Amino acid sequence: MDVTASIIRGGAATAATAAGIGGYVAVGWLDFYGPGSLSWLGVIVALSATALGVGAAFAASGHMATPVLLLLALPFCGFFLHNAAEDRVLAVRGVSGACRVDDVRKTSATVLNGAPEGGNSTITGNVHRLSCPSGGPSELNIEKAARPGSTLHLTWDPDRRVDPRPTADVPHGEELVLPSLAVVAVLLLAMTAGFGHDRTEPS
């Protein structure tokens, strides 16, 4: 196999995959920082990002392993990036304050558990009715119940794009570790598109 051609193929697939990852970053920006974009726009961008990375790897690769693995890995990478973008909101523009708990009520919801054997799972939570400084949330749903009359220190998004959280639970950088590792792993995977035999017809 020609080494130069292999490097070119791997580089092309990696560049296209990097552009696809950029598409996932754009989805996070649209959802949490953009100017109120239509909800379907992020879906289109995410699907286009996946098609770009997988399509380029399929065109450049001499084997099917890399495109198939990218088809699985790219959406996971996008999921991690999207979650990190959501987590960054409160760290970047969150407003913190002390809120009084006026009332607490327990809630439960039944959801599919996703296990192969099927069945349902019950998710419980505690909805706290709050009195917060101006602009703060009126409710908070968390697993652990606080005592009515107590004070919770919360951080909330003034743009209301993400749910409020206890200030102690707001991440400050560690949420970027997993998506960064995912990006590196996906780019290394894309590089393998240059390996394998050329697709040439026998003479």
Side-chain angles (χ1 to χ4, degrees):
M1 180 173 57
D2 182 45
V3 175
T4 302
S6 180
I7 293 173
I8 292 173
R9 285 197 301 270
T14 304
T17 301
I21 291 171
Y24 289 126
V25 174
V27 174
W29 183 84
L30 286 170
D31 284 348
F32 303 114
Y33 303 94
S37 304
L38 296 174
S39 59
W40 50 262
L41 185 57
V43 176
I44 292 176
V45 173
L47 291 175
S48 300
T50 303
L52 178 63
V54 174
F58 179 78
S61 181
H63 54 85
M64 285 297 296
T66 298
V68 170
L69 290 174
L70 279 177
L71 184 60
L72 299 173
L74 269 171
F76 276 105
C77 183
F79 174 79
F80 294 142
L81 288 168
H82 193 268
N83 281 2
E86 182 178 11
D87 287 342
R88 286 297 295 166
V89 170
L90 295 181
V92 171
R93 64 168 183 252
V95 175
S96 298
C99 301
R100 188 182 72 249
V101 179
D102 295 329
D103 183 49
V104 182
R105 70 178 190 276
K106 187 175 291 291
T107 63
S108 63
T110 301
V111 298
L112 294 174
N113 63 17
E117 66 273 13
N120 300 322
S121 297
T122 300
I123 299 177
T124 61
N126 292 280
V127 177
H128 299 68
R129 187 162 53 85
L130 306 170
S131 293
C132 293
S134 178
S138 60
E139 286 188 343
L140 175 71
N141 189 352
I142 54 177
E143 183 177 351
K144 184 178 180 181
R147 187 179 68 256
S150 63
T151 298
L152 291 176
H153 293 274
L154 304 179
T155 300
W156 59 87
D157 175 20
D159 291 348
R160 309 289 184 181
R161 294 201 180 189
V162 302
D163 294 332
R165 299 183 190 179
T167 300
D169 294 340
V170 176
H172 292 281
E174 63 271 18
E175 76 282 359
L176 299 177
V177 174
L178 186 57
S180 298
L181 292 175
V183 168
V184 172
V186 168
L187 291 177
L188 289 174
L189 174 61
M191 290 179 186
T192 65
F195 304 149
H197 298 289
D198 295 330
R199 289 199 198 100
T200 57
E201 295 295 329
S203 55

